[in-house]
Amino acid sequence: MPLSEHEQRMLEQMERALYAEDPKFASALEGNGLRTYTRRRVYQAVAGFLVGIALLMAGMVAQLIWVSVVGFLVMLGCAVLAVTGWRKAPKPGEQPPAAARRGVRPKRSMMDRIEQRWQRRRDEQGH
């Protein structure tokens, strides 16, 4: 069950207070869970890519086209997983947003997005 807006605000305030009071302790508690997860996912995708190459070669040696096709598809899928996992990984020392750490995507209304675009245009024009 997702947190309400009030609960999210309270949690973010508590996180900020913890970082302000003892940043070393807060960073130790946080860990690198997202970075470790994405790194592991990339490594698994690379291993799967190598398995795909082995299947492709085995299919060619055994003259079984379907094995080669399966190997190619495994390679393609793993390459896509590796690239998307690599792009999503936070840089070392980078802090993912609080909502992303909890797996909650902030909801914005259409009017909020329109207002942000309008404000961005005004800022770019120097008003």
Side-chain angles (χ1 to χ4, degrees):
M1 182 165 99
L3 298 174
S4 70
E5 283 187 38
H6 176 68
E7 291 170 331
Q8 288 177 359
R9 281 194 306 266
M10 293 291 290
L11 184 58
E12 288 172 4
Q13 287 175 354
M14 289 169 32
E15 287 176 357
R16 282 193 298 267
L18 179 61
Y19 275 106
E21 188 174 309
D22 193 358
K24 187 175 180 181
F25 177 69
S27 63
L29 283 179
E30 182 181 69
N32 295 326
L34 183 61
R35 189 170 53 231
T36 303
Y37 169 75
T38 53
R39 187 180 306 139
R40 185 179 318 129
R41 183 175 170 190
V42 169
Y43 290 151
Q44 289 172 346
V46 169
F49 188 84
L50 295 175
V51 168
I53 289 175
L55 284 173
L56 181 71
M57 293 299 184
M60 291 175 69
V61 169
Q63 294 182 350
L64 295 172
I65 294 175
W66 67 272
V67 174
S68 295
V69 170
V70 168
F72 176 76
L73 293 175
V74 168
M75 287 171 50
L76 182 65
C78 288
V80 169
L81 280 176
V83 169
T84 57
W86 193 263
R87 286 184 181 169
K88 290 180 183 177
K91 307 292 184 264
E94 182 182 39
Q95 194 73 316
R101 287 193 305 261
R102 289 189 304 274
V104 177
R105 186 173 179 211
K107 295 181 181 178
R108 297 186 306 175
S109 70
M110 186 175 75
M111 288 304 292
D112 290 338
R113 290 190 306 259
I114 291 172
E115 281 183 31
Q116 285 180 348
R117 288 180 193 154
W118 178 260
Q119 191 65 33
R120 198 175 323 127
R121 287 184 190 136
R122 291 188 71 206
D123 291 343
E124 288 172 359
Q125 292 175 356
H127 288 94

